[in-house]
């Protein structure tokens, strides 16, 4: 027999006993025994003590008492490698050799190193490859395996739709076939799925693919390469176009793997210029997906822990309200010795009396009180006027008091239990509201940190461009550049370096805020860990039906649910108050059987002879009570009606506020989508402007005005990228806010209350041995 079946059989037996005893009232639909077992199991194995069955199903324990295993990677930080030409560094070349080294030659040297890295790290480990990204100035190609690893998804991004179409045609040429069918195309991004054979062919001809894709429109330099494996990650960027240098970030799960990757890098690129650690992180970096961050926050939040006790507390209110209808067993034993002078006879009157009483008493759901009492009395005295100086008396009495007006009926007598149930549901709704608020805070902090990290990358690229501009000014020193242009470029470098420092502080502030919400002891605010968001943000256009979102909010928003429960509670209070305005009219009835003999058996036998109707007593009557004017109960009824009207008005107010919040959230989503499209267009224009100025620089002399124009164009490009980034993160924050106001966050994140699992008769988790 399973645990589930045994609990069902136990409940059936107990229910039958309750019916035989004159009926039981259950506090709710949840099996108490199953709840207690589930509570104990979760308390034994969860990362921290929970408040009973109303915790989160998401927090069901896993081994080692850790809700979420952290993905902690060791990293080396940034290392700059200088690509050598003819065995020499660029700074070691003579002036004539540097003049002969064209930009195209430098591009070919750097891209050859990138191709060698791709061949070494990507193609040799195709089985465990999780991502390969090749980035050019105006387009990007990302290759990821499918979940079953039987095919690869190839995502292409380009600066505009026309360029994207050309890239798709070029992919078909590399695969020796027609252009592949597009599975998803949003804006300037398209995704295609290729077979394993075509995937190997595409990766094997990566150099040819890059060459053909680059020739589909204006020439585009390769600026980056990202390779991710199951145990390590490699990110390579080309920070300067006019320098033979590459910047590398390496991360791995353990020190041995990390050292092996660094050694392989140095075998291809040579000795690194520096080995400084990335200023963004400490000794380790922790990669967190958005769902993992939410689970950590829910598992460790003190706010959630405090509120999670409320459902358990209100559950006991339900039990206490139901206990009013439990059968009560009562008993008493009283022994009396009486020794006093008697006026009716000479001498003293002495009597010994022992009284036993036992019975059952129950308050019914219709308001009546039913009792069954058995009295047994043993009396011994020396009175001359009694026939039996030692006698035994046995009596059995059935009594009932049933209200007919006030306090009568199930609606009145079950109102307390129903109000307790509504209070329990309200506490569950408040608990869900707190969970929604925490999830919203975690999501907002998560995307804020992702924005800060990406913004730092933009600022770093801007600084690299400015340094490159300064170096080009120094290189043209003998042609048309003067000390004015050099100082001008150096001043701009320091300004942008200061902005980078401020951006680094923003990262640490956002990280501390997220770590505080996660409250995990493995990610202390004083620990040497950096948190890196792993979930990519939503960037595509989303269609949202405003009316549908309002309907969702009306169904799932916890504030509206609490307002509806408040109206239901007010309705019950009105019912109770209306009943209390009636007069008190109670029916009183009792029947008693008596037996009196000189032996206990005889007294009990005489009492039991109901057939002859000997020694039976009956009582039937009624009591009436009504206060003149009845002002108090009528005033209470008016008060409860006003409270109900107030609850209805409050619900209407909450409904208006929720509808307004939904409209604001939907408009925010629509606005951010429009902003993303506008900022993308601005980013393309800024990129084209900067490219035009760089091309123009080769044809005209360098003046302070032209240099400032170029520096401003670099700043405008970075600002356009930051604006697009901000709009993208605003979109993700707006989507999180919309889910929170509609109350659908838990459904979309597959978070369920543990009470739902228990009510659904799911077996509890086995306790930890």
């Amino acid at each position: 027999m399973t645990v589930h079946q045994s609990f069902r059989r136990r409940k059936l037996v107990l229910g039958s006993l309750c019916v035989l005893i004159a009926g039981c009232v259950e506090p709710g639909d949840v099996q108490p025994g199953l709840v207690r077992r589930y509570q104990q199991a979760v308390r034994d194995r969860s990362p921290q003590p929970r408040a009973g069955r109303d915790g989160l199903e998401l927090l069901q324990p896993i081994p080692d008492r850790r809700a979420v295993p952290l993905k902690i990677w060791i990293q080396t930080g940034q290392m700059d490698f200088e690509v050598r030409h003819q065995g020499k560094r660029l700074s070691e070349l003579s002036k004539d050799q540097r003049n002969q080294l064209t930009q195209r030659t430098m591009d070919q040297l750097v891209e050859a190193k990138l191709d060698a890295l791709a061949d070494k790290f990507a193609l040799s480990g195709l089985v465990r490859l999780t991502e390969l990204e090749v980035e050019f100035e105006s387009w990007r190609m990302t290759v990821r395996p499918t979940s079953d690893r039987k095919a690869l998804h190839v995502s292409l991004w380009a600066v505009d739709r026309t360029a994207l179409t050309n890239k798709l045609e070029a992919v078909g040429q590399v695969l020796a076939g027609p252009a592949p069918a597009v599975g998803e195309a949003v804006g300037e991004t398209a995704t295609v799925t290729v077979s394993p054979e075509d995937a190997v062919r595409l990766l094997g001809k990566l150099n040819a693919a890059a060459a053909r894709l680059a020739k589909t429109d204006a020439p585009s330099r390769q600026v980056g390469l990202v390779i991710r494996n199951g145990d390590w990650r490699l990110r390579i960027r080309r920070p300067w176009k006019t320098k033979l240098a590459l910047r590398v970030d390496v991360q791995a799960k353990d020190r041995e793997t990390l050292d092996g990757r660094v050694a392989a890098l140095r075998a291809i690129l040579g000795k690194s210029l520096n080995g400084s650690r990335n200023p963004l992180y400490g000794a380790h970096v922790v990669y967190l997906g958005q769902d993992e961050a939410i689970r950590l926050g829910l598992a460790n939040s003190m706010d959630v822990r405090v509120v999670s006790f409320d459902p358990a507390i209100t559950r006991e209110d339900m039990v206490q309200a139901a206990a009013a209808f439990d059968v009560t067993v009562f008993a008493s034993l009283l022994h009396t010795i009486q020794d006093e002078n008697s006026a009716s006879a000479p001498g003293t009157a002495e009597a010994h009396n022992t009284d036993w009483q036992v019975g059952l008493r129950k308050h019914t759901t219709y308001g009546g009180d039913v009792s069954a009492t058995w009295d047994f009395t043993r009396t011994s005295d020396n009175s001359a006027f009694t026939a039996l100086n030692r006698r035994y008396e046995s009596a059995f009495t059935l009594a009932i008091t049933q209200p007919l007006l006030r306090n009568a009926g199930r609606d009145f007598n079950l109102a307390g239990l129903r109000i307790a149930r509504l209070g329990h549901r309200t506490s569950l709704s408040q608990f869900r509201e707190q969970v929604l608020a925490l999830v919203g805070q975690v999501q907002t902090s998560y995307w804020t940190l992702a924005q800060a990290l990406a913004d730092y990358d933009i600022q770093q690229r801007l600084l690299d461009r400015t340094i490159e501009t300064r170096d080009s000014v120094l290189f043209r020193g003998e042609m048309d550049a003067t000390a004015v242009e050099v100082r001008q470029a150096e001043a701009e470098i320091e300004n942008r370096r200061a902005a980078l420092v401020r951006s680094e502080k923003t990262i640490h502030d956002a990280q501390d805020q997220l770590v505080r919400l996660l409250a995990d002891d493995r990610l202390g605010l004083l620990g040497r860990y950096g948190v890196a968001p792993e979930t990519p943000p939503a960037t595509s256009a989303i269609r949202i039906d405003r009316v549908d979102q309002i309907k969702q909010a009306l169904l799932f928003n916890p504030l509206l649910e609490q307002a509806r429960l408040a109206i239901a509670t007010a309705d019950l209070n009105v019912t109770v108050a209306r009943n209390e305005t009636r007069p008190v009219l109670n029916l009183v009835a009792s029947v008693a059987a008596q037996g009196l003999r000189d032996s206990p058996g005889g007294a009990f036998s005489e009492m039991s002879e109901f057939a002859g109707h000997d020694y039976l007593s009956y009582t039937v009557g009624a009591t009436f009570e009504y206060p003149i004017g009845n002002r108090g109960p009528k005033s209470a009824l008016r008060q409860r009606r006003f409270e109900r009207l107030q609850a209805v008005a409050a619900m209407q107010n909450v409904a208006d506020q929720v509808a307004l919040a939904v409209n604001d959230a939907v408009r925010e989503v629509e606005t951010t989508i429009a902003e993303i499209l506008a900022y993308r267009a601005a980013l393309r224009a800024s990129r084209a402007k900067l490219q035009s100025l760089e091309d123009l620089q080769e044809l005209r002399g360098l003046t302070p005005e032209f240099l400032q124009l170029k520096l401003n164009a670099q700043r405008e490009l970075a600002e356009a990228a930051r604006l697009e980034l901000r709009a993208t993160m605003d979109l993700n924050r707006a989507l999180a806010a919309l889910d929170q106001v509609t109350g659908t966050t838990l459904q979309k994140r597959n978070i369920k209350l543990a009470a739902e699992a228990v009510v659904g008769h799911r077996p509890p988790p086995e306790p930890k041995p």
Side-chain angles (χ1 to χ4, degrees):
M1 180 183 298
T2 64
V3 175
H4 168 55
Q5 293 172 338
S6 64
F7 275 111
R8 292 191 62 183
R9 176 170 296 182
R10 183 181 302 176
K11 183 177 181 181
L12 180 61
V13 173
L14 292 177
S16 302
L17 291 177
C18 286
V19 172
L20 293 176
I21 298 175
C24 290
V25 177
E26 287 292 332
D29 298 328
V30 180
Q31 302 177 29
L34 186 59
V35 168
R36 285 192 293 271
R37 286 202 58 189
Y38 186 88
Q39 173 183 354
Q40 184 63 38
V42 173
R43 183 165 51 242
D44 291 343
R45 301 176 60 189
S46 61
Q48 59 176 310
R50 306 299 303 171
R53 67 185 187 88
D54 298 318
L56 295 178
E57 185 185 30
L58 183 67
L59 307 180
Q60 286 185 358
I62 62 176
D64 299 330
R65 298 177 61 85
R66 300 204 174 187
V68 180
L70 297 182
K71 293 180 287 187
I72 303 176
W73 292 57
I74 303 174
Q75 59 138 16
T76 62
Q78 294 179 350
M79 297 185 299
D80 292 336
F81 292 88
E82 186 170 5
V83 179
R84 297 175 180 267
H85 175 58
Q86 297 178 353
K88 297 181 180 180
R89 296 179 178 176
L90 185 62
S91 58
E92 298 174 349
L93 297 177
S94 64
K95 183 178 179 180
D96 294 337
Q97 289 176 323
R98 286 201 303 267
N99 292 334
Q100 295 175 359
L101 191 61
T102 63
Q103 183 65 52
R104 183 56 185 166
T105 304
M106 289 191 291
D107 293 343
Q108 291 175 349
L109 289 172
V110 174
E111 290 175 5
K113 292 295 184 181
L114 291 173
D115 293 339
L117 292 172
D119 292 337
K120 172 66 176 179
F121 294 106
L123 302 183
S124 61
L126 184 60
V127 177
R128 301 203 62 189
L129 182 70
T130 59
E131 181 180 2
L132 173 62
E133 180 180 282
V134 183
E135 182 180 1
F136 288 78
E137 288 181 324
S138 59
W139 64 278
R140 181 172 60 248
M141 179 175 65
T142 305
V143 181
R144 295 186 182 92
T146 58
S147 57
D148 56 5
R149 305 193 70 85
K150 294 182 178 180
L152 290 181
H153 293 310
V154 179
S155 299
L156 294 173
W157 172 88
V159 294
D160 52 49
R161 193 71 180 182
T162 302
L164 179 63
T165 303
N166 295 335
K167 306 304 177 189
L168 290 172
E169 294 177 354
V171 169
Q173 295 175 6
V174 173
L175 298 177
V182 179
E184 178 185 356
V186 180
E188 292 76 32
T189 303
T191 302
V192 298
T193 302
V194 298
S195 65
E197 295 77 10
D198 289 341
V200 173
R201 189 183 305 119
L202 180 61
L203 291 176
K205 297 182 178 181
L206 186 60
N207 299 342
R212 294 188 183 183
L213 290 172
K215 292 177 181 179
T216 56
D217 47 19
S220 181
R221 300 183 181 91
Q222 186 175 353
V223 296
L225 178 67
V226 176
I227 303 173
R228 297 189 180 185
N229 195 283
D231 297 326
W232 51 267
R233 305 184 183 196
L234 180 65
R235 183 188 182 195
I236 307 168
R237 293 200 58 80
R238 183 183 179 185
W240 305 286
K241 290 187 296 184
T242 59
K243 284 188 176 182
L244 294 175
L246 291 172
R247 178 169 294 162
V248 181
D249 283 305
V250 188
Q251 298 169 2
K253 286 187 175 180
D254 52 65
R255 176 63 61 181
E256 182 180 359
T257 304
L258 180 68
D259 294 341
R261 297 302 94 182
V262 172
L265 277 171
R266 288 173 176 166
I268 297 175
L269 299 177
K271 186 178 180 181
S272 59
L273 299 177
N274 58 68
S276 61
R277 195 175 304 280
N278 190 328
L280 291 178
Y281 304 123
H284 298 79
V285 56
V286 179
Y287 281 90
L288 275 183
Q290 183 179 201
D291 291 340
E292 294 170 330
I294 291 174
R295 292 183 64 189
L296 278 175
L298 293 176
N300 302 312
S301 171
M302 293 301 298
D303 295 334
V304 171
R305 181 193 293 188
V306 170
V307 179
S308 65
F309 283 94
D310 291 340
I313 293 173
T314 55
R315 164 76 184 174
E316 300 308 317
D317 292 338
M318 294 169 55
V319 176
Q320 294 171 23
F325 304 98
D326 291 347
V327 177
T328 302
V329 179
F330 59 92
S332 65
L333 174 63
L334 183 65
H335 181 69
T336 304
I337 299 176
Q338 184 179 4
D339 189 4
E340 58 184 16
N341 288 327
S342 175
S344 60
T348 61
E350 183 177 353
H352 293 259
N353 185 73
T354 303
D355 181 69
W356 289 271
Q357 186 184 69
V358 63
L360 298 175
R361 182 171 55 245
K362 177 177 174 58
H363 182 70
T364 69
T365 58
Y366 291 93
D369 291 307
V370 181
S371 64
T373 307
W374 176 59
D375 288 288
F376 184 80
T377 305
R378 175 185 178 276
T379 303
S380 176
D381 58 33
N382 59 356
S383 174
F385 300 98
T386 58
L388 297 174
N389 293 112
R390 176 171 294 190
R391 56 191 178 274
Y392 297 89
E393 181 179 3
S394 179
F396 180 77
T397 304
L398 288 175
I400 182 172
T401 301
Q402 177 60 51
L404 300 179
L405 294 177
R406 185 187 294 184
N407 302 336
R410 291 173 61 88
D411 290 342
F412 175 84
N413 288 278
L414 291 177
L417 175 58
R418 291 167 178 167
I419 290 175
R421 288 176 177 173
L422 292 174
H424 180 65
R425 291 174 59 187
T426 301
S427 66
L428 283 175
S429 179
Q430 293 171 345
F431 176 59
R432 192 165 65 90
E433 179 187 0
Q434 182 63 44
V435 171
L436 287 173
L438 177 66
V439 172
Q441 293 174 5
V442 171
Q443 288 179 304
T444 300
S445 299
Y446 186 88
W447 295 121
T448 300
L449 177 58
Q451 178 181 351
L453 288 168
D455 184 76
Y456 182 92
D457 190 56
I458 294 173
Q459 297 280 12
Q460 180 68 60
R461 294 189 185 188
L462 176 60
L463 177 61
D464 291 338
R465 284 194 179 98
T466 310
I467 293 175
E468 185 177 30
T469 301
R470 189 271 315 271
D471 293 343
S472 67
V473 171
L474 292 175
F475 183 76
R476 299 179 57 145
E478 297 182 1
M479 296 174 54
D480 50 9
T482 64
V484 175
E485 286 81 9
V486 175
R487 296 295 181 267
Q488 184 179 4
E490 290 177 347
E492 195 67 26
I493 288 175
E494 297 305 321
N495 290 333
R496 294 173 183 179
R497 185 173 283 121
L500 191 66
V501 172
R502 174 60 60 177
S503 180
E504 183 178 341
K505 176 186 178 298
T506 303
I507 289 175
H508 292 305
D509 292 343
Q511 177 177 293
D512 289 347
Q513 179 65 23
L514 179 59
V515 169
R516 186 192 69 81
L517 291 173
L518 301 184
D520 192 281
D521 55 1
R522 295 165 292 175
L523 290 175
L525 294 177
L526 301 179
R528 299 188 63 191
Y529 288 92
V531 179
E534 196 174 31
T535 301
T539 59
S540 59
I542 301 173
R543 294 183 179 272
I544 297 179
D545 187 345
R546 185 170 306 184
V547 176
D548 180 67
Q549 293 299 315
I550 292 179
K551 290 180 180 178
Q552 293 289 324
L554 293 177
L555 287 175
F556 299 110
N557 186 277
L559 295 178
L560 278 173
E561 182 182 8
Q562 294 166 31
R564 288 192 292 267
L565 293 174
I567 292 177
T569 303
D571 288 336
L572 291 174
N573 288 330
V574 170
T575 300
V576 172
R578 184 186 298 113
N579 182 280
E580 291 177 344
T581 61
R582 300 172 180 174
V584 175
L585 180 59
N586 296 339
L587 173 66
V588 180
S590 66
V591 58
Q594 183 209 18
L596 180 64
R597 286 290 184 269
D598 57 356
S599 65
F604 186 81
S605 176
E606 186 178 55
M607 180 198 70
S608 303
E609 293 176 356
F610 289 100
H613 300 285
D614 294 334
Y615 309 112
L616 286 179
S617 302
Y618 303 92
T619 300
V620 178
T623 61
F624 178 83
E625 178 183 334
Y626 188 75
I628 298 176
N630 202 24
R631 294 188 302 170
K634 290 181 179 178
S635 175
L637 177 59
R638 290 192 298 270
Q639 182 182 19
R640 295 295 180 257
R641 286 173 174 170
F642 286 138
E643 290 176 351
R644 185 189 182 281
L645 292 175
Q646 184 184 40
V648 172
M651 179 178 176
Q652 293 173 346
N653 184 38
V654 171
D656 291 342
Q657 293 177 358
V658 169
L660 178 62
V662 170
N663 285 333
D664 290 343
V666 171
R667 276 194 296 268
E668 181 65 21
V669 172
E670 295 172 347
T671 301
T672 52
I673 291 175
E675 285 180 339
I676 289 175
L677 298 178
Y679 289 142
R680 284 177 180 173
L683 182 61
R684 289 194 296 266
S686 299
R687 187 181 293 112
K689 176 182 177 180
L690 180 59
Q691 184 63 45
S692 299
L693 290 176
E694 290 178 347
D695 295 339
L696 186 60
Q697 181 178 338
E698 304 296 331
L699 303 176
R700 56 171 295 176
L702 187 63
T703 63
E705 293 78 10
F706 182 83
L707 179 60
Q708 187 61 47
L709 186 62
K710 181 179 179 180
L711 294 174
N712 291 339
Q714 293 175 352
R715 186 186 299 109
E716 291 173 2
L717 177 60
E719 187 62 26
R722 296 180 67 190
L723 290 175
E724 183 197 15
L725 171 66
R726 188 189 67 183
T728 300
M729 297 306 172
D730 285 344
L731 172 61
N732 288 268
R733 286 188 285 262
L735 290 173
L738 179 60
D739 291 341
Q740 182 178 351
V741 73
T742 56
T744 56
T745 301
L746 302 185
Q747 290 88 333
K748 291 185 178 181
R749 295 291 169 188
N750 197 27
I751 303 174
K752 297 181 181 179
L753 297 179
E756 299 177 8
V758 177
V759 173
H761 305 297
R762 291 177 54 182
E766 293 296 329
K768 187 176 181 179

